Amino acid sequence: MPLGAEPEVHAVKLTRRSFLRTTVAVGAVGVAGACGRESAPAPGATVEGSRAEALRWFSAKGYAPIAASPLITEIPFNDGLAFDEHFDSSRDALYVVQPCSRVEDVHKKDSPGTLPRFTIFGVVPAPNTPVADPVADIVGFLTGPAGIDPARLRVTTTDLSRAVFPLLAELGIASDRIRLQPVEKAMREGAGSGFFAPAGHPHHPAIPTFSVEFVMADGSEIEIAEIATEPGDDSGGAIGLERVTMARNDRLITWSEQLPVFKQSVEEDAESRGVALPVGYYEILGLPRPNAAMTN
């Protein structure tokens, strides 16, 4: 979930109205609020610790694990590297801890929080679950076990997600911290700050979303989650474990810090499965492509 260009945003004035199943939403909010009062940021938080907190939180809420996809996909999209998580149809609520890398981020490597290799904690609810549930579960994790102050969170989205604004207010993200960008712009970019539909994506996702940003002490913002706001196969959301850890520590992890982790992860995946190093490996490391590398 790379940090995109700063969106064109407008302040939102909000009137209270019911959202989906109000009793479900309020109940979930109560749990999240109670957990938030008991939690505080962990000094020296690690990505492994953030992962463990997420596992405990979502397991307790009935989500079951599935295996992550390999980091090397052996398909041309994203130059052969895993772009995001993917869930097949299921009757259960599921989560996955998915390693990812996005070649497009090479051009944004100096942007706060952008990494050559990162980990998505993705969740999808069971069919026919109200959208309120995963929204409350994900935001509740951020402000509960992760110990993030909701006053330092911002949301970027479009009018397509206006129905979730009352729930976000209950979760501690007030209307004056929700930024709107034009629907057409969000759909054209497809990056998740209002609409998720990356060009060329093999699974063709296309769903209204909102992104959650954390304001660092220096005023910079990093996106730490994206959450869908319509039910369907692509509903649910994703948390960036490295980004959450940055927020917990109020300290950025840099591209250069993570570059050796990227190199080792791709090389180990290639060796263990007997596959070629993908084009994306060379692109991200800034190395010339050998003739044996996968081509588009």
Side-chain angles (χ1 to χ4, degrees), residues 181-198:
Q181 60 174 332
V183 173
E184 297 78 9
K185 178 176 182 288
M187 294 182 73
R188 182 174 65 253
E189 293 175 350
S193 294
F195 204 83
F196 185 71

Side-chain angles (χ1 to χ4, degrees), residues 17-32:
R17 56 194 175 97
S18 61
F19 169 64
L20 297 176
R21 300 182 184 177
T22 303
T23 55
V24 173
V26 172
V29 169
V31 172

